[in-house]
Structure formats: structure tokens, C-alpha cells
């Protein structure tokens, strides 16, 4: 039976609510004026104890809780709801388990003991299976054989086991805590085995190569740098090979776009304008919409300058001499609307007529 993180959270909330019930709803003994104080009957508190009794199992896999290690091993890689591949002991466990053929997983002893049952190995690894055993504290993280008639670990032909850290040992009289029967058994420097490994083992020295960081972009996660051993396939967070990691679980979260809004600007004859757009200060991408769905080129937002209007051609000035010759006779004319010169004009016309008439008369006299 297993319980998710949500189940455990609900249980905690329920428990907290129950503990508050006596303070909010007094028991009938207190409400009816019954006994109070230390001498009161305990029945009033017992009536509020209505939450179910259950215990969390000693095995955890990515937030899922299991009552037995075998349940956790069977769920890893088979149950789609169980995403992790490491079964972590959160208490000492006495159980004999089998890692099925083809299964690949890790068992983290943490700082606890996994002890086999009488007459059976603690762990049997079947052909084709791959198991990694680790422990945070070498001395207290123990794979243990309780009786001399069974080892702590059995590796069948074709199986592979890597002991990264922790220790393997047995009770008094156990001289062979590990039987390697045609499989592969690799022991790292941090691990310790007390006794003989029947079938032999490989003492592994890491040859680490550096894998550079993959930086995160605005919308894509990155991955930190790490060191990888091609010999055993393990990866480490440090160049000394002390802290094992799984690169697929190491993530640099993407920060998202840091967008600023650029409003539309109308162009003029002196300066270019632009359409409305949004630009990310981190990656430089330009978007046509506030939802950042359409990526465009920044050059496409530019509006060209307006064409300047054609200048008017100025009038050529008249030379002064010509201007005076044209304007001089005009100065002699009476101004428009001025009737004071009319008698003078009439007298001038009469005078001209008289002169003409005199000339005509004189010319006729000569002809006679």
C-alpha cells in the first residue's frame, strides 16, 4: 500500500483540525457544567478522536510511500504514476527482495539498514537487471546478512550491480556477504565490504570527463555542468566524483521573456516612425502582439520618413529703373475716387477743342 504526498498532507491537515476541535467545540461534560480541570473524565477527549489510524511505509519513491521495498521495486518502471527510479529507505527494513530481470533502478539506504530475512539474501539481482546501491553514511547505511546461511547480496549471471557507497557486511560467522555468480560487481572507493566477495569484484576508479553547462534560454530549460565517467556511466556534480547526480534531473529553469512594450510612432519628414511591437530585453526577440505569439524582424516595424513638400518658386523682382519709368506717369493720374480734378479735365478738353477749331478755321481761310 502506498500514499502520495497529497495523502500525507491531507492527513496532517486533518490531524491539526482534530487537535483544534476541543478548543472550538467543548465536550458535553464541559458544556453541561460537568467536571473541569485535571480531575475531569477523559471520555470528553476520547470522543473527538475520529481520524483513521495508519502508518506510512518505510520506503519512498519520488513522493510515493510503500509499505515494502519489493512493492517499490516492482512499481519502478512499471507504474506510470511512479516517475522516479530510486527507492529510498526512511527507516530500517528487514526484508528479502528480488530485482526482476531487465529492471534498472537504485536503492538508497540513506542512513539505514536493509537486512535479509533468515535464510534468504537481502537482495537478489536477476539476469539482465541493473542495480545501483548507495548510502549517505557509509557506516550506518548497511546491506546486512543476518545469518551465516545466506549472503546479503546475490548477483546472478548477466546482472550488474554498482556499490557506490554504504557498506555490505554480515552477522558474526558471515564470511561471504556477497556472491557474484557470473554477473558484474563494481565497487567504488566510498563503499566498504566486510568479508569476501565470492566470484570477485572490480575495484573501479573513475575517469571523469567534463561536460559543459547548457545555458537556459528565455523559454527552454538548461542544464548545469557536470563530470561523467565513461567506465561506469555515473555522473557527478563535482570534479572529485563525490556527489552523484542524474543529468536528466539537473535543470536550470528558463526565466521567461523580459518584455517591454514599444508604442506606435508616426513618421515625420525629419524622423522615421515605427509600428507597435514588444521586445525581449533578454534574448532580443521582437513580437507583433502582446501575447508574444508572432515573432517578427525589428526592421519590419520601421516606418519610413515622409516626403518633404516641394518648395514654392519666388517671384523675380522688377529692376528699379523700369519700375520708376512705369510708375512715373501713374503718379500724375488722380487717385481713384478723387473727383476734385474733374473741372480741370473738362477745361482741358474744351481748350483742346478750341485749339483744334482755330487751326481748322485758319486753314480754310488760306485756301480761299
Amino acid at each position: 500500500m502506498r500514499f502520495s504526498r497529497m495523502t500525507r498532507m491531507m492527513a496532517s491537515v486533518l490531524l491539526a483540525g482534530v487537535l483544534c476541535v476541543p478548543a472550538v467545540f467543548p465536550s458535553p461534560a464541559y458544556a453541561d457544567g460537568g467536571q473541569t480541570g485535571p480531575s475531569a473524565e477523559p471520555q470528553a477527549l476520547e470522543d473527538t478522536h475520529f481520524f483513521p489510524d495508519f502508518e506510512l511505509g518505510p520506503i519512498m519513491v519520488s513522493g510515493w510511500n510503500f509499505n515494502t521495498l519489493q512493492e517499490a521495486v516492482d512499481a519502478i518502471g512499471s507504474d506510470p504514476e511512479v516517475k522516479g527510479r530510486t527507492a529510498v529507505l526512511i527507516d530500517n527494513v528487514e526484508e528479502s527482495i528480488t530485482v526482476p530481470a531487465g529492471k534498472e533502478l537504485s536503492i538508497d539506504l540513506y542512513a539505514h539498514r536493509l537486512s535479509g530475512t533468515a535464510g534468504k539474501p537481502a537482495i537478489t539481482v536477476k539476469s539482465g537487471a541493473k542495480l545501483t546501491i548507495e548510502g549517505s553514511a557509509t557506516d550506518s547505511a548497511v546491506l546486512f546478512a543476518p545469518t551465516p546461511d545466506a549472503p546479503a547480496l546475490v548477483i546472478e549471471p548477466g546482472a550488474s550491480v554498482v556499490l557506490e557507497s554504504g557498506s555490505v557486511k554480515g552477522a558474526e560467522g558471515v564470511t561471504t556477504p556477497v556472491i557474484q555468480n557470473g554477473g558484474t560487481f563494481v565497487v567504488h572507493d566510498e563503499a566498504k565490504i566486510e568479508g569476501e566477495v565470492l566470484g570477485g569484484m572490480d575495484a573501479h576508479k573513475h575517469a571523469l570527463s567534463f561536460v559543459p553547462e547548457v545555458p537556459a534560454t528565455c523559454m527552454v530549460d538548461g542544464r548545469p555542468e557536470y563530470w561523467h565517467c565513461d567506465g561506469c556511466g555515473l555522473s557527478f556534480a563535482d570534479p572529485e566524483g563525490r556527489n552523484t547526480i542524474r543529468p536528466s534531473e539537473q535543470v536550470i529553469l528558463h526565466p521567461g521573456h523580459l518584455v517591454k512594450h514599444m508604442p506606435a510612432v508616426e513618421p515625420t519628414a525629419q524622423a522615421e516612425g515605427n509600428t507597435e511591437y514588444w521586445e525581449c530585453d533578454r534574448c532580443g526577440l521582437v513580437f507583433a502582439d502582446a501575447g508574444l505569439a508572432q515573432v517578427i524582424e525589428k526592421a519590419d516595424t520601421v516606418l519610413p520618413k515622409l516626403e518633404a513638400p516641394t518648395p514654392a518658386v519666388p517671384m523675380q523682382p522688377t529692376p528699379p529703373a523700369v519700375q520708376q519709368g512705369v510708375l512715373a506717369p501713374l503718379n500724375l493720374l488722380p487717385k481713384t475716387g478723387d473727383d476734385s480734378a474733374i473741372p480741370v479735365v473738362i477745361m482741358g478738353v474744351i481748350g483742346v477743342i478750341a485749339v483744334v477749331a482755330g487751326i481748322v478755321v485758319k486753314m480754310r481761310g488760306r485756301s480761299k
Side-chain angles (χ1 to χ4, degrees):
M1 183 177 181
R2 67 189 184 209
F3 301 96
S4 67
R5 285 178 179 153
M6 183 61 71
T7 303
R8 288 182 280 117
M9 184 182 298
M10 292 174 63
S12 300
V13 172
L14 181 60
L15 177 59
V18 169
L19 294 177
C20 294
V21 166
V24 179
F25 302 104
S27 67
Y30 296 161
D32 296 337
Q35 289 182 330
T36 61
S39 61
E41 293 293 330
Q43 181 62 39
L45 295 179
E46 291 176 1
D47 291 340
T48 64
H49 188 273
F50 62 88
F51 56 90
D53 290 326
F54 63 86
E55 294 183 358
L56 297 179
I59 311 298
M60 191 76 69
V61 181
S62 296
W64 290 98
N65 189 263
F66 295 86
N67 286 332
T68 68
L69 181 56
Q70 189 66 60
E71 286 182 359
V73 169
D74 293 340
I76 291 174
S78 301
D79 190 333
E81 294 184 349
V82 180
K83 304 299 183 183
R85 289 192 170 271
T86 300
V88 182
L89 273 65
I90 57 177
D91 199 355
N92 294 328
V93 173
E94 184 177 344
E95 182 182 356
S96 293
I97 70 161
T98 299
V99 179
K103 182 83 72 171
E104 183 175 353
L105 58 99
S106 297
I107 295 177
D108 186 354
L109 302 173
Y110 195 56
H112 302 293
R113 171 182 290 198
L114 173 58
S115 177
T117 55
K120 294 182 180 180
I123 301 177
T124 300
V125 186
K126 293 293 186 179
S127 177
K130 294 182 179 180
L131 173 64
T132 300
I133 302 172
E134 55 187 304
S136 302
T138 302
D139 294 333
S140 57
V142 179
L143 185 61
F144 190 73
T147 59
D149 55 347
L153 175 64
V154 173
I155 306 169
E156 294 191 354
S160 175
V161 176
V162 176
L163 183 62
E164 288 187 8
S165 54
S167 60
V168 181
K169 60 184 178 180
E172 186 176 353
V174 177
T175 58
T176 309
V178 179
I179 296 178
Q180 193 273 99
N181 187 21
T184 302
F185 185 42
V186 178
V187 180
H188 291 182
D189 292 340
E190 297 82 3
K192 183 170 63 174
I193 298 178
E194 296 183 9
E196 180 185 357
V197 176
L198 186 63
M201 65 179 184
D202 298 323
H204 178 70
K205 294 289 185 181
H206 296 304
L208 300 179
S209 57
F210 175 69
V211 181
E213 173 186 316
V214 176
T217 63
C218 283
M219 299 306 294
V220 180
D221 292 339
R223 189 211 63 238
E225 64 182 20
Y226 65 95
W227 286 260
H228 182 73
C229 177
D230 291 331
C232 65
L234 291 176
S235 298
F236 301 88
D238 57 287
E240 293 77 23
R242 294 194 183 97
N243 302 307
T244 58
I245 61 170
R246 289 178 174 84
S248 60
E249 298 175 1
Q250 306 300 307
V251 177
I252 301 175
L253 296 176
H254 65 273
H257 292 299
L258 183 62
V259 178
K260 67 180 177 184
H261 175 228
M262 304 300 292
V265 176
E266 295 295 329
T268 66
Q270 290 75 34
E272 295 176 334
N274 61 266
T275 60
E276 182 184 35
Y277 66 93
W278 288 258
E279 184 174 10
C280 177
D281 284 341
R282 285 197 180 98
C283 65
L285 284 179
V286 178
F287 302 89
D289 60 309
L292 312 183
Q294 183 182 358
V295 179
I296 59 175
E297 296 293 333
K298 192 169 184 177
D300 295 337
T301 67
V302 178
L303 299 176
K305 294 180 182 179
L306 300 178
E307 293 185 5
T310 304
V313 178
M315 296 292 292
Q316 295 294 328
T318 304
V322 176
Q323 186 176 8
Q324 292 177 2
V326 173
L327 297 179
L330 298 179
N331 294 334
L332 301 177
L333 295 177
K335 296 180 180 180
T336 303
D338 186 4
D339 55 1
S340 61
I342 293 177
V344 177
V345 173
I346 294 174
M347 293 299 295
V349 172
I350 295 173
V352 171
I353 294 173
V355 171
V356 172
I359 293 172
V360 170
V361 172
K362 187 177 181 179
M363 289 180 66
R364 285 181 178 179
R366 286 181 181 178
S367 61
K368 294 180 178 181

